[in-house]
Structures are given as C-alpha cells and as structure tokens.
Amino acid sequence: MAAPESVPPWWRVWPHDAATVVVADVADEAGAAVVAEVRRRGGSAGYVRADVADEASVEHLLDRVLADFGHLDGAVNNAGAWQPDVPLHEIGVEVWDRLHDVDLRGVFLCMRAELGLFLRQSEGGAIVNTAGIAGFKAMPGLGAYVAAKHGVIGLTRQAAAEYAEYGIRVNAVAPGMVATPAWSARPVPMRQLYADGQAAGRAAAAEEIASAIVFLLSDDASFVSGDVLVVDSGTLQQ
C-alpha cells in the first residue's frame, strides 16, 4: 500500500503491497501513532522500542522481528542525532560521543545485526543507510556530524563489497536539508537561511527522501549496491 501522506514516510521500509513494517525508535508515543495509522489504513505494522546506540537493544529488536514476523527482507537505518553549530575546537567530548554513538555506532550495530540475520536466512536482503551531503564535504560548525556521516558512507561501501556474493545489497541516501519536525521547530530566520543554501531554495519534503529509499530497497534497484544516492536538488554541485 502507498504511504499515507499524514504518516512520517520512514515507516515504508519495504515497497511491497503485502509488507509488514516494524517501526523502531525510542519515542514510544510517536512510534505507536505511526503503527496505528498504518493499521487504520489497512497495512500491517508493529513497534519495538530500540536504542540504536545500545548493542543489547539492537539485538532485542532483531529478535523481536523474527519472533513476531518471522522474516526480514529490508532495513532502513535512519536514526540520527544533531550537534550544536560550533567550531571543531569547541566540540565537547560528550557531544562528540553522543552524536557518534547514534549516527555511526548505531548504523554499525544495526547493520551488523541485519547482515547476520540475512546470512542466516540465506535469501539475500537490502539495507539503506541515511548519510547526508555532510558525508561528502566539510560543513562549518558541524565537525562531529561531518565525521560521522563520512563514516556511514564508508561502512555502506564496505558492507556492499563484502556481502554482494550473498545477494545482500547495501546502499545509502544522502539528503540535503529536509523539513523534518526537528527542522521545523527551529526559528523561522534560521530555517530560511538553511533553505536559501539549497539549490532549489527550499528544504526537501520527507516523502522525497523516502521515495529514494523505497527505490533502493526495491527490485528496481536489484543491481545497485555500494551506491550513495544524493537527494539534494543539486546542492552538492554548487
């Protein structure tokens, strides 16, 4: 089924009409709301509380997926943390550690569990990681974030090379600015400043990034692996 417009599009983790979607987050109320909306519209979904920075929590998530649904076809590793805009020499260790725990360690822990499950199933699989244009370039004031996103791209390419022979595809999307709830909560002048820096003069809608993710998970991308699909309206080329 198509994703309802009123639901955050990251619930569309597998682009088949008969898909069952597992939403994983630490925001229980928001996760439950997404699941309820998917079910209300005739889809099948479940929620599992999971902290991607915690190894045991990630393992519990995959155990629950198997116990409740019996199989995993595709996964989207989309959890992320942001940092205050400060020069590199002013980044606190706590900020650095928290951001890398979620944005890089979290991707590694999820990929490790997902790859292991795909190998046990012996049926291939697809993974899409969320990187960002910060994975390709420096961004003043965002040193910890830039380092983490470069790492996500490296992990994506490494896994694609290692697991292609098992029919497992691993790709990433690299969005520019996206109009997420966190972005929308920022002051209007700040949002306008960021939007003006995008080639299209606006932030992307979340659905525009989700569509790219759905493509990379689907059979339409059956020979695509190790790629980073930039979805930024040309901003990276400026």
Side-chain angles (χ1 to χ4, degrees):
M1 58 179 263
E5 293 182 358
S6 61
V7 175
W10 41 263
W11 68 264
R12 296 187 295 177
V13 297
W14 192 247
H16 293 303
D17 290 341
T20 294
V21 178
V22 179
V23 178
D25 207 325
V26 293
D28 296 336
E29 291 186 6
V34 172
V35 169
E37 182 67 11
V38 172
R39 291 174 176 171
R40 186 181 72 79
R41 292 174 178 262
S44 176
Y47 174 74
V48 179
R49 180 178 177 82
D51 179 354
V52 299
D54 182 78
E55 182 178 11
S57 184
V58 171
E59 292 175 353
H60 170 71
L61 166 63
L62 271 293
D63 288 344
R64 280 286 306 277
V65 168
L66 275 184
D68 294 350
F69 305 105
H71 200 265
L72 179 68
D73 295 301
V76 180
N77 299 318
N78 187 52
W82 192 246
Q83 71 162 95
D85 292 6
V86 295
L88 192 63
H89 73 280
E90 294 181 8
I91 297 174
V93 172
E94 297 82 2
V95 171
W96 176 277
D97 287 347
R98 176 55 185 163
L99 191 142
H100 279 253
D101 279 350
V102 176
D103 288 20
L104 187 55
R105 171 187 167 92
V107 172
F108 161 69
L109 290 176
C110 289
M111 283 179 59
R112 186 179 67 171
E114 293 152 5
L115 290 165
L117 179 52
F118 286 148
L119 290 173
R120 293 194 297 275
Q121 292 177 164
S122 300
E123 297 177 8
I127 295 173
V128 179
N129 299 318
T130 300
I133 59 174
F136 291 98
K137 60 180 289 186
M139 301 183 73
L142 298 175
Y145 184 76
V146 166
K149 292 305 182 180
H150 273 70
V152 169
I153 290 177
L155 279 174
T156 298
R157 290 171 171 164
Q158 180 69 28
E162 288 192 23
Y163 296 93
E165 65 180 290
Y166 303 103
I168 299 171
R169 298 185 299 104
V170 187
N171 293 289
V173 292
M177 183 57 60
V178 183
T180 63
W183 182 85
S184 299
R186 295 189 172 198
V188 172
M190 182 180 293
R191 296 205 308 270
Q192 189 60 52
L193 179 65
Y194 281 126
D196 289 345
Q198 304 299 297
R202 67 172 177 86
E207 289 82 357
E208 291 175 301
I209 311 305
S211 294
I213 292 172
V214 169
F215 164 70
L216 290 173
L217 286 175
S218 75
D219 291 341
D220 290 338
S222 59
F223 208 61
V224 180
S225 194
D227 192 25
V228 184
L229 179 54
V230 179
V231 191
D232 72 341
S233 77
T235 301
L236 193 60
Q237 308 308 318
Q238 292 180 323

